[in-house]
Every structure is written in C-alpha cells, then in structure tokens.
Amino acid sequence: MSKDVSFTIKFFPYQLYPEASKEGEDKYEWYKKTKYNDSQDMMDKYITLMTTYGNQAGINFDFHGQVANTLHAHRLIQHFQEHLGPDTADKLVNSLYTQYFTQRAHPSASETLLRATHDAGIDSATAEAFVTDESEGLPDTKLLMREQASNGVDSVPHVVVEGKRRDFTLVGAKDVAEYLKTLEAVAKEAS
C-alpha cells in the first residue's frame, strides 16, 4: 500500500437486537433458541466453527455470559469517539469485544463500560460521570442508529471504505484478505 494513504476507523451504532432487555439473558441458551431452533447439534456445530475461527485469530471465545441490549455501549463509543477521537473509540471497542466474547461480561453493564474506559485510558472521573448519566449522548446515539437503518444497514459488520473515486461496502464477516484487497484498491485509486 502507498505510504501516503492513511485510513481512519469511525464507528457508527447499530443494534442487531434492539428489543433485547437491558438485564439480558443467558447467551448460550439465547443463541441455541434464537439462532438454532433449540437444536443442540446445530449449536455444537456453531461452537466448533467459531472456536476454529477464533483460534486462528488468537481469540478464545467463551459462549456463556449474558446477551443484552447494547444501547449504552454504543452511547459510550459514540461519545468518546466524538470527544477523544478514533484511537480512543478503537480501544473502547476492543475492550468491549474482549470482555463480551471472551470474559462473559454483560455488554453494557456499568462495570463493563467503566473497564472499557479504563482500558482506553479515559480519566476515571470523566468516565464514571458519563456512564452513570444514561441520558447523556442518548439522543445523538439514537439518531445515528436511525440513520444507519435508513442507509440500509441491517447486519454487522457493515464496513464502508470511502475512496477518492468510489466507496466500497463490505457486509458480513470477511476474511482479512478481502479487507486488505479493498484497502489496497482505495490506496491505488488515491495515488
């Protein structure tokens, strides 16, 4: 890739399951019931496949914990992305994903959000004030969610790479090679 081309990640909120409760429910049972029609065989196959994918990427998935509404996690990401920039947002997302997918953390519990802010290097008093005021940034986050829905986003990940001549959209999980190919195409068009 060209040394003169840089990329900035900007996160936009989107909830796959906005009807999920704030309290949450057992993640394993929810997946088995919702995704695999209570089939233990299908759930076992899913776990085997995802474990293989995770191992290849150095991720040790834990399929237990809570699945719950993620609105306040999105609110956190949007607020600090706007106020502290994309690097902070990236650190927040990495911490939230690690906690949820490998450590059984509730996706938007105060403890989870505060740990993510700590991992992202955000001042603890600033973080605690934001996390405990659940109305701060909420209208803006909900507006961004509506915008994503009106833009046709209906799954995650939904990655848009803005190029000089055209934009590229990648929907759903992709191999690293496909992301690289897209980034290289954008870099080529930029030179």
Side-chain angles (χ1 to χ4, degrees):
M1 263 190 259
S2 171
K3 293 178 185 172
D4 299 330
V5 177
S6 64
F7 295 92
T8 302
I9 295 174
K10 185 171 183 181
F11 295 96
F12 289 95
Y14 176 78
Q15 289 184 290
L16 276 175
Y17 306 105
E19 69 282 354
S21 73
K22 185 176 179 179
E23 297 75 28
E25 59 185 287
D26 182 87
K27 187 191 318 183
Y28 182 92
E29 290 302 323
W30 182 87
Y31 268 91
K32 185 174 140 191
K33 175 181 69 176
T34 306
K35 297 289 193 182
Y36 302 109
N37 201 29
D38 272 332
S39 167
Q40 187 63 51
D41 183 54
M42 292 299 293
M43 187 66 186
D44 291 344
K45 288 177 182 176
Y46 166 75
I47 288 174
T48 299
L49 179 66
M50 292 306 295
T51 299
T52 301
Y53 286 155
N55 288 341
Q56 292 171 354
I59 301 168
N60 185 20
F61 285 115
D62 187 322
F63 299 94
H64 297 280
Q66 297 285 321
V67 63
N69 194 295
T70 57
L71 178 61
H72 291 290
H74 289 292
R75 182 179 68 86
L76 181 86
I77 296 163
Q78 292 307 305
H79 175 81
F80 286 111
Q81 178 174 251
E82 182 178 328
H83 290 89
L84 298 177
D87 289 340
T88 298
D90 191 53
K91 290 174 186 172
L92 287 169
V93 169
N94 282 326
S95 176
L96 291 167
Y97 279 8
T98 297
Q99 291 181 73
Y100 179 72
F101 288 111
T102 69
Q103 300 168 1
R104 299 185 181 194
H106 184 290
S108 58
S110 294
E111 310 82 60
T112 306
L113 302 180
L114 288 171
R115 179 167 172 206
T117 61
H118 176 267
D119 292 348
I122 298 169
D123 172 75
S124 62
T126 301
E128 190 165 340
F130 180 80
V131 169
T132 57
D133 181 356
E134 292 188 350
S135 64
E136 187 174 353
L138 190 59
D140 294 335
T141 301
K142 286 183 173 182
L143 175 64
L144 286 169
M145 287 178 167
R146 285 191 298 275
E147 285 178 10
Q148 293 313 299
S150 70
N151 288 338
V153 175
D154 63 0
S155 62
V156 294
H158 185 100
V159 178
V160 177
V161 182
E162 295 179 355
K164 187 174 183 178
R165 297 185 193 149
R166 60 190 166 135
D167 295 344
F168 297 82
T169 302
L170 299 166
V171 178
K174 305 290 181 204
D175 290 332
V176 171
E178 196 161 344
Y179 289 107
L180 273 174
K181 181 179 173 185
T182 301
L183 295 173
E184 288 167 349
V186 169
K188 184 178 179 182
E189 288 182 4
S191 40

